[in-house]
Amino acid sequence: MNPEKDFAPLTPNIVRALNDKLYEKRKVAALEIEKLVREFVAQNNTMQIKHVIQTLSQEFALSQHPHSRKGGLIGLAACSIALGKDSGLYLKELIEPVLTCFSDADSRLRYYACEALYNIVKVARGAVLPHFNVLFDGLSKLAADPDPNVKSGSELLDRLLKDIVTESNKFDLVGFIPLLRERIYSNNQYARQFIISWILVLESVPDINLLDYLPEVLDGLFQILGDNGKEIRKMCEVVLGEFLKEIKKNPSSVKFAEMANILVIHCQTTDDLIQLTAMCWMREFIQLAGRVMLPYSSGILTAVLPCLAYDDRKKSIKEVANVCNQSLMKLVTPEDDEPDDPKPGVQRQADPSPEDSLAKQEGTAGGGPEGSCDSSFSSSISVFTTASTERAPVTLHLDGIVQVLNCHLSDMAIGMMTRIAVLKWLYHLYIKTPRKMFRHTDSLFPILLQTLSDESDEVVLKDLEVLAEIASSPAGQADDAGPLDGPDLQVSHSELQLPTPGRAGLLSAPGTKGLECSPSTPTMNSYFYKFMINLLKRFSSERKLLEARGAFIIRQLCLLLNAENIFHSMADILLREEDLKFASTMVHTLNTILLTSTELFQLRNQLKDLKTLESQSLFCCLYRSWCHNPVTTVSLCFLTQNYRHAYDLIQKFGDLEVTVDFLTEVDKLVQLIECPIFTYLRLQLLDVKNNPYLIKALYGLLMLLPQSSAFQLLSHRLQCVPNPELLQTEDSLKAAPKLQKADSPSIDYAELLQHFEKVQKKHLEVRHQRSGRGDHLDRRVVL
């Protein structure tokens, strides 16, 4: 510093003392400056006051010499003390040079700057509020200062500033929020602690409504909640808890829509505390905001669904996620099922905003624990403009929701409970909004069929419920489902084919009717037949599924849908099946279900007497497909009491190739005859005179069997058949001869027998072709 320079009105002694390295001498100089400024105040000499402040600022506080800077700082503080209540007129000139020293490399100088600013603020009190942002910015930097003395000094200043804000009603919250939003993303733990403490203070001031600006800082608060410091995490929990209490008290003033995506992001983080807290917030948002949250359903589901599969280690998160899921599901009502046409001026999906970009970045890094269905959905699907939810009635858009559900169901790594929840959602949507959902059925149908192979029975049950609803909903008629015989259903060799009225076969056969003419219930739609075709395709391509789950699946479908329609349609489809081995296996499975399942009791009674044209039509339809398996055809005749035709069929068995598999099926039929289902048949053996063909048919089976346990069983049964002469009584001799049960006149049994021979001839040709290729093991039995 140039000693010859004029620093008037500062005297040379004051200048010399301000530049001294000793604090005591600088303090004496500060007292002289205070005295000098007081005189100027008394004289109302503002020009000299400004000149003193400017000199202390430019020549000392901003000097290159460290001792001069220290002198300048204490001098500026002295000026403020001297000015008293008038210091507010000069605060900009007093504060700016002090704040510049906050960044000084010398820790002692930073401490003195802190001390000087404390004195300035203490004198000015509420007058410093217009300069609050620059003060806060400087303090936020000092909060992370490595020097403990500086940090201690900044804490004193911080407390003073908080007291001033708390007691004032002129705080500019609008101007402060952008700075708070910027500083809240600091990674320094001390800076974070500083930010949290200020949010707590502002939240406690009655005149300051920080809730209006919560969307600006909520993401940053969740970031801080993941801090490594236990104390900071605890402070952040308290802040978030206070905000949530305020939200519950005043839900009408909360901007739920602006914070929905922020919660979606943090519900997918790997930090348990953040995830649990965000999930709790999401639960409250859904329950308080209601349908306002519907536009964000896809993002919410992306976050919530994977949590449902958590184990007991994350039990709390799982329970809250389940409540979120159930609450969100209840928001979907039948009123949402209306034309999904976008209204003018209402944006369906918004351009990505800064928050959406954040969702994309953070969601990818901390996505759901299940892997493939990660949080990218929260940015690409669920982001809607707030205008959509505030300016117009909330409209449920299913595109994003269905995409999320499809994604989770397609991922085989997803847990069982998540898959069940997805299927419950699909079922709920088909019940509440069928017209909208059927626009997505073609994309969902393949994965729903694939889910039938799931390891969990509970998943398969839910899947069948969804498929049954698709197949029976009035919304799924032909106009919605599209052409059933389109390119997607054009099947080739060894695949199932869809029958049409123009094709030969059952539909054109006399006395029979196809599916279109079957006694189907009004609830069956055009997806029903498509479902049956694809189900049989799946059984054909996955024989293990047929063996392990085939009966289970069909029995459940018989409970969920019309059993007659199921058997009628499957028989119709199998009639045109080119893979004869599969057709035989499938017919055997269906026959076993028909004869043994309690679910089919009503259908068995309907077939037992063949009293109606509908039951006769069903019998003919089943018979033609049952011909793929000779023994099942006989059992169907036993069930329908067509004993004469059963005898005629068994007579034809002599022309068939008798294999081990064939004899095994005869053995099983004998076992079935001994079961409760055929009690009526066994009782009819008492009426020998009127049931000769029944006895002949049973003897025919006996002659087919080798000397086995089944042979002994049937032989013992036939030995119990009484001698008709011994059963005759005087009354029975006088009575007119009782006619045996007549064949149904509308059924052409000769034509059916010809069809049986034709099908069996085709089976024999196929077996011989396989034998010629060497890929068929000849299991013929030499008797």
Side-chain angles (χ1 to χ4, degrees):
M1 181 175 292
N2 186 359
E4 297 179 359
K5 190 172 182 180
D6 183 16
F7 293 101
L10 298 181
T11 66
N13 288 334
I14 293 175
V15 173
R16 191 182 309 107
L18 286 176
N19 287 310
D20 201 281
K21 65 179 181 178
L22 295 176
Y23 172 74
E24 293 300 328
K25 290 187 178 182
R26 293 197 300 271
K27 187 175 181 181
V28 171
L31 292 172
E32 290 296 323
I33 292 172
E34 182 180 346
K35 183 179 177 182
L36 182 65
V37 173
R38 284 184 191 277
E39 291 175 2
F40 292 147
V41 171
Q43 298 168 7
N44 198 23
N45 192 344
T46 56
M47 186 177 294
Q48 287 289 51
I49 294 172
K50 287 183 179 180
H51 188 61
V52 170
I53 294 174
Q54 185 177 3
T55 301
L56 290 171
S57 174
Q58 298 297 325
E59 302 297 335
F60 290 89
L62 300 179
S63 170
Q64 297 296 320
H65 195 278
H67 297 312
S68 297
R69 291 201 295 274
K70 293 172 185 176
L73 290 170
I74 198 170
L76 289 170
C79 288
S80 177
I81 294 170
L83 288 167
K85 62 180 182 179
D86 293 330
S87 63
L89 301 172
Y90 309 94
L91 276 176
K92 187 175 185 296
E93 292 79 4
L94 290 168
I95 290 174
E96 286 184 355
V98 178
L99 289 175
T100 303
C101 293
F102 275 11
S103 303
D104 199 281
D106 186 354
S107 61
R108 292 296 298 168
L109 202 139
R110 294 199 302 273
Y111 175 78
Y112 287 132
C114 211
E115 185 181 50
L117 189 58
Y118 178 88
N119 289 317
I120 294 170
V121 172
K122 186 177 181 181
V123 172
R125 300 298 292 183
V128 301
L129 289 178
H131 307 276
F132 178 81
N133 279 12
V134 292
L135 294 174
F136 182 88
D137 185 51
L139 274 176
S140 66
K141 296 173 181 175
L142 287 186
D145 199 285
D147 187 271
N149 292 323
V150 177
K151 195 179 298 180
S152 177
S154 69
E155 288 172 359
L156 287 173
L157 176 57
D158 181 49
R159 283 197 292 270
L160 174 61
L161 204 55
K162 285 173 180 172
D163 289 340
I164 295 171
V165 170
T166 304
E167 66 191 23
S168 173
N169 58 359
K170 297 180 180 179
F171 181 71
D172 182 13
L173 183 61
V174 176
F176 171 61
I177 288 298
L179 179 61
L180 180 61
R181 184 178 59 212
E182 176 190 343
R183 287 285 180 264
I184 203 169
Y185 288 105
S186 172
N187 291 323
N188 184 280
Q189 59 176 349
Y190 298 108
R192 285 179 163 182
Q193 195 168 4
F194 172 77
I195 294 292
I196 291 293
S197 67
W198 266 102
I199 293 175
L200 272 171
V201 168
L202 295 175
E203 177 64 15
S204 66
V205 178
D207 295 332
I208 296 177
N209 186 13
L210 196 56
L211 194 61
D212 286 344
Y213 303 94
L214 183 56
E216 304 288 335
V217 298
L218 184 62
D219 179 64
L221 286 173
F222 274 104
Q223 298 273 8
I224 294 175
L225 190 60
D227 194 273
N228 294 326
K230 186 180 292 185
E231 184 180 348
I232 296 175
R233 288 167 76 103
K234 189 66 180 176
M235 286 178 64
C236 194
E237 275 191 273
V238 172
V239 170
L240 288 168
E242 290 300 319
F243 273 125
L244 196 55
K245 287 179 185 177
E246 192 68 23
I247 288 171
K248 291 178 182 179
K249 290 179 184 177
N250 306 292
S252 59
S253 62
V254 179
K255 300 173 181 177
F256 291 104
E258 294 183 25
M259 294 183 280
N261 278 321
I262 297 172
L263 295 182
V264 166
I265 296 167
H266 294 290
C267 281
Q268 300 173 77
T269 184
T270 54
D271 185 290
D272 288 354
L273 179 59
I274 296 177
Q275 190 176 29
L276 177 60
T277 306
M279 200 67 73
C280 290
W281 275 61
M282 184 69 77
R283 176 191 62 196
E284 299 301 330
F285 272 38
I286 295 171
Q287 293 175 352
L288 294 171
R291 291 179 59 83
V292 172
M293 300 298 288
L294 271 183
Y296 305 90
S297 297
S298 55
I300 296 171
L301 288 175
T302 301
V304 166
L305 288 174
C307 300
L308 301 178
Y310 283 176
D311 55 24
D312 288 342
R313 289 173 295 180
K314 295 186 176 183
K315 185 178 179 181
S316 300
I317 299 174
K318 179 180 179 180
E319 290 174 351
V320 180
N322 188 51
V323 175
C324 290
N325 184 54
Q326 296 296 328
S327 301
L328 186 64
M329 191 179 291
K330 290 177 183 177
L331 298 180
V332 181
T333 63
E335 287 71 27
D336 290 306
D337 194 26
E338 55 191 20
D340 199 5
D341 298 326
K343 298 178 182 179
V346 179
Q347 243 181 313
R348 183 171 181 179
Q349 280 189 305
D351 293 330
S353 64
E355 288 184 1
D356 306 334
S357 302
L358 176 66
K360 208 169 201 177
Q361 295 167 3
E362 294 195 21
T364 305
E370 302 298 341
S372 66
C373 295
D374 60 23
S375 58
S376 58
F377 280 103
S378 63
S379 59
S380 63
I381 297 173
S382 66
V383 180
F384 293 80
T385 56
T386 55
S388 299
T389 59
E390 293 176 359
R391 298 178 187 171
V394 175
T395 302
L396 178 67
H397 297 285
L398 292 182
D399 292 357
I401 296 175
V402 171
Q403 188 176 350
V404 171
L405 296 175
N406 201 338
C407 171
H408 281 80
L409 197 59
S410 303
D411 186 0
M412 301 309 294
I414 290 289
M416 180 189 74
M417 296 309 298
T418 295
R419 296 169 73 79
I420 291 172
V422 169
L423 292 166
K424 285 181 177 179
W425 259 102
L426 290 173
Y427 182 77
H428 183 73
L429 291 173
Y430 272 109
I431 292 292
K432 300 296 182 182
T433 59
R435 289 192 295 276
K436 284 186 178 181
M437 277 302 292
F438 266 94
R439 297 171 188 170
H440 303 277
T441 299
D442 288 339
S443 64
L444 288 169
F445 209 68
I447 186 60
L448 288 171
L449 286 168
Q450 183 181 337
T451 306
L452 292 174
S453 303
D454 196 276
E455 296 178 355
S456 167
D457 286 348
E458 196 172 348
V459 171
V460 174
L461 279 173
K462 289 296 175 187
D463 190 41
L464 289 172
E465 286 183 18
V466 178
L467 287 166
E469 182 59 30
I470 292 174
S472 61
S473 173
Q477 295 303 334
D479 290 343
D480 297 319
L484 290 181
D485 53 350
D488 58 325
L489 287 178
Q490 290 297 325
V491 290
S492 58
H493 181 71
S494 80
E495 291 185 320
L496 300 166
Q497 298 182 8
L498 176 69
T500 57
R503 294 181 186 168
L506 177 63
L507 299 180
S508 59
T512 62
K513 295 188 286 185
L515 178 67
E516 288 79 359
C517 302
S518 68
S520 59
T521 63
T523 57
M524 295 299 111
N525 61 31
S526 47
Y527 270 98
F528 173 78
Y529 211 106
K530 182 178 181 180
F531 176 31
M532 293 297 107
I533 288 175
N534 284 278
L535 180 60
L536 289 176
K537 277 185 185 180
R538 195 145 193 90
F539 285 151
S540 178
S541 60
E542 291 188 35
R543 299 299 171 88
K544 289 184 178 179
L545 176 64
L546 176 59
E547 294 170 7
R549 287 265 179 76
F552 171 75
I553 290 171
I554 294 171
R555 288 176 62 182
Q556 290 302 318
L557 286 175
C558 289
L559 289 173
L560 296 166
L561 297 170
N562 182 275
E564 180 183 346
N565 285 345
I566 291 172
F567 273 78
H568 208 311
S569 59
M570 284 192 171
D572 203 4
I573 296 165
L574 287 169
L575 187 62
R576 292 156 185 83
E577 172 58 43
E578 296 180 3
D579 185 346
L580 299 184
K581 186 175 181 181
F582 166 70
S584 176
T585 304
M586 194 67 224
V587 163
H588 176 75
T589 302
L590 290 171
N591 186 66
T592 303
I593 296 169
L594 177 63
L595 294 178
T596 61
S597 298
T598 55
E599 296 86 354
L600 276 298
F601 176 78
Q602 186 176 352
L603 187 60
R604 284 196 296 271
N605 283 345
Q606 184 179 339
L607 286 167
K608 190 180 293 183
D609 296 324
L610 298 181
K611 292 180 180 178
T612 63
L613 290 176
E614 288 79 8
S615 62
Q616 293 169 19
S617 171
L618 177 61
F619 166 73
C620 291
C621 180
L622 296 180
Y623 180 94
R624 292 177 176 277
S625 287
W626 263 230
C627 287
H628 282 297
N629 191 307
V631 180
T632 60
T633 313
V634 171
S635 66
L636 180 64
C637 291
F638 281 161
L639 174 66
T640 56
Q641 303 185 64
N642 283 299
Y643 301 134
R644 179 169 183 170
H645 193 70
Y647 171 71
D648 292 340
L649 284 174
I650 294 172
Q651 288 290 94
K652 298 292 182 181
F653 284 6
D655 300 328
L656 303 181
E657 184 178 26
V658 180
T659 63
V660 172
D661 290 338
F662 176 86
L663 292 177
T664 301
E665 292 193 21
V666 175
D667 189 298
K668 290 179 180 178
L669 177 57
V670 171
Q671 303 293 335
L672 274 175
I673 292 172
E674 295 298 319
C675 291
I677 289 171
F678 281 114
T679 299
Y680 68 93
L681 181 148
R682 297 195 299 274
L683 289 174
Q684 286 172 348
L685 291 174
L686 294 173
D687 191 1
V688 178
K689 187 174 182 180
N690 289 313
N691 294 289
Y693 286 104
L694 170 59
I695 298 173
K696 284 186 175 184
L698 292 177
Y699 269 109
L701 290 178
L702 187 67
M703 295 303 106
L704 287 172
L705 288 168
Q707 299 286 329
S708 61
S709 58
F711 177 90
Q712 297 297 328
L713 187 65
L714 184 55
S715 177
H716 290 157
R717 174 63 64 186
L718 290 172
Q719 287 173 13
C720 297
V721 175
N723 187 330
E725 295 179 0
L726 296 177
L727 293 177
Q728 287 183 349
T729 62
E730 187 175 346
D731 292 337
S732 64
L733 290 172
K734 293 178 182 179
K738 184 179 178 182
L739 295 175
Q740 60 179 312
K741 180 179 179 294
D743 292 337
S744 300
S746 62
I747 299 177
D748 188 348
Y749 285 96
E751 190 273 336
L752 292 179
L753 198 60
Q754 290 175 5
H755 178 78
F756 175 81
E757 291 176 336
K758 180 180 177 182
V759 172
Q760 289 306 310
K761 183 178 179 181
K762 190 174 181 181
H763 275 267
L764 187 62
E765 290 173 355
V766 171
R767 280 199 295 270
H768 286 169
Q769 288 173 4
R770 289 177 177 173
S771 298
R773 291 196 306 265
D775 59 355
H776 175 67
L777 178 62
D778 189 2
R779 303 184 68 193
R780 185 167 182 173
V781 178
V782 180
L783 300 176

